[in-house]
Amino acid sequence: MEYLLTVVRYIHQNPLKARMVRTVEEWGWSSCRQYYQLTSIARLVNCDLILNMFGEDRTTAIERFKEFNETVNDDRCLEDVDTDRRRLTDDEARVVIKGLLGKVEIAQVKSLPKENRDHILRKVKGIEGVSQRQVARILGVSQTLIYRA
């Protein structure tokens, strides 16, 4: 059960560690707000199993879970074995990509001829600390386009 708790915390803290939010409950696609009971939307997640591990009284369990969930840690899960490599933020990645593009503007990449575009995409994919999802978001192209380049 300890690993289950580690995985839940890892998932909730992913956007925080990626510097996409300032607090775990800010991420709109996270179940964290349901665990904290901060949302009035229909329950999509059964939080009982996890919260019951923190106590029988629901209010106390939520407080204890929140404390656990927000504890600074170096949790590693499954394929997350290369956490020593630092991910670039979108702003940092944008600067590196702009430098790599030279005179070509970021907004122009998606409308370049296929051969030129794919050449650039292959170079951008090689930037350490930048994911293909991040590249797609920054360049305004699909992840599939990045993958196939």
Side-chain angles (χ1 to χ4, degrees):
M1 289 300 200
E2 185 179 326
Y3 188 67
L4 173 62
L5 293 176
T6 298
V7 170
V8 170
R9 178 170 58 193
Y10 175 82
I11 290 168
H12 287 163
Q13 287 192 4
N14 252 344
L16 180 69
K17 289 181 178 181
R19 299 183 192 158
M20 299 167 81
V21 294
R22 291 185 309 257
T23 63
V24 290
E25 68 264 18
E26 284 181 29
W27 188 246
W29 295 272
S30 172
S31 60
C32 184
R33 294 181 56 80
Q34 288 186 330
Y35 281 95
Y36 291 3
Q37 295 193 342
L38 297 174
T39 182
S40 59
I41 62 169
R43 247 175 89 176
L44 301 175
V45 177
N46 183 345
C47 303
D48 294 339
L49 175 70
I50 301 298
L51 291 178
N52 288 342
M53 293 179 186
F54 290 90
E56 291 181 22
D57 176 67
R58 187 57 114 197
T59 303
T60 303
I62 292 170
E63 288 172 11
R64 289 177 179 163
F65 173 74
K66 186 173 182 175
E67 183 179 333
F68 167 81
N69 198 44
E70 295 178 10
T71 299
V72 176
N73 63 78
D74 59 353
D75 292 340
R76 296 174 80 155
C77 295
L78 298 177
E79 66 278 338
D80 186 26
V81 293
D82 196 12
T83 55
D84 295 337
R85 285 183 23 196
R86 187 174 90 67
R87 283 263 186 232
L88 299 180
T89 65
D90 280 4
D91 290 337
E92 292 169 330
R94 197 172 280 108
V95 169
V96 175
I97 290 170
K98 281 182 181 179
L100 191 127
L101 293 176
K103 295 181 181 182
V104 177
E105 294 293 324
I106 285 179
Q108 295 174 309
V109 172
K110 60 184 167 191
S111 58
L112 290 172
K114 182 182 181 335
E115 186 176 307
N116 297 3
R117 182 193 65 219
D118 287 353
H119 175 73
I120 287 173
L121 293 180
R122 282 190 294 277
K123 286 178 21 181
V124 171
K125 281 192 325 188
I127 299 171
E128 187 161 330
V130 179
S131 69
Q132 288 189 19
R133 178 179 298 167
Q134 198 174 18
V135 169
R137 186 172 54 245
I138 291 169
L139 295 180
V141 298
S142 73
Q143 289 183 54
T144 304
L145 197 63
I146 305 290
Y147 176 76
R148 290 182 178 167

